[in-house]
């Protein structure tokens, strides 16, 4: 039961990342706002606090690392697996 539940959670996070990443690609250059709101909406939907971007790193890279490989994040794909 628990293994299936965590695998479903990992799949849901991965699908949400995929949709948000493609949304960012579609909206790139359309809005003049440098702050990326779609990533913040993703974190709100996951009931998490958005990470602070690392200096010199793109915000989407910080988010992707946080939600895929961060073992300290209980909702990351790696932690769920």
């Amino acid at each position: 039961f628990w293994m299936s539940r965590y695998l479903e959670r990992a799949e849901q996070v991965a699908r949400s990342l995929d949709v948000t990443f493609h949304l960012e690609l579609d909206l790139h250059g359309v809005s003049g706002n440098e702050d990326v709101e779609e990533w913040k909406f993703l974190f709100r939907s996951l009931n998490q606090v958005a990470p602070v971007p690392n200096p010199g790193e793109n915000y989407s890279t910080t988010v992707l690392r946080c939600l895929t490989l961060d073992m300290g994040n209980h909702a990351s794909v790696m932690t769920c697996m």
Side-chain angles (χ1 to χ4, degrees), residues 20-49:
T20 307
F21 179 74
H22 283 92
L23 179 64
E24 181 189 24
L25 289 177
D26 290 343
L27 293 178
H28 184 71
V30 174
S31 65
N33 192 358
E34 198 63 33
D35 191 17
V36 185
E37 287 296 318
E38 56 267 10
W39 292 113
K40 292 181 181 180
F41 290 132
L42 173 65
F43 276 96
R44 275 188 243 150
S45 71
L46 294 173
N47 199 22
Q48 290 195 345
V49 177

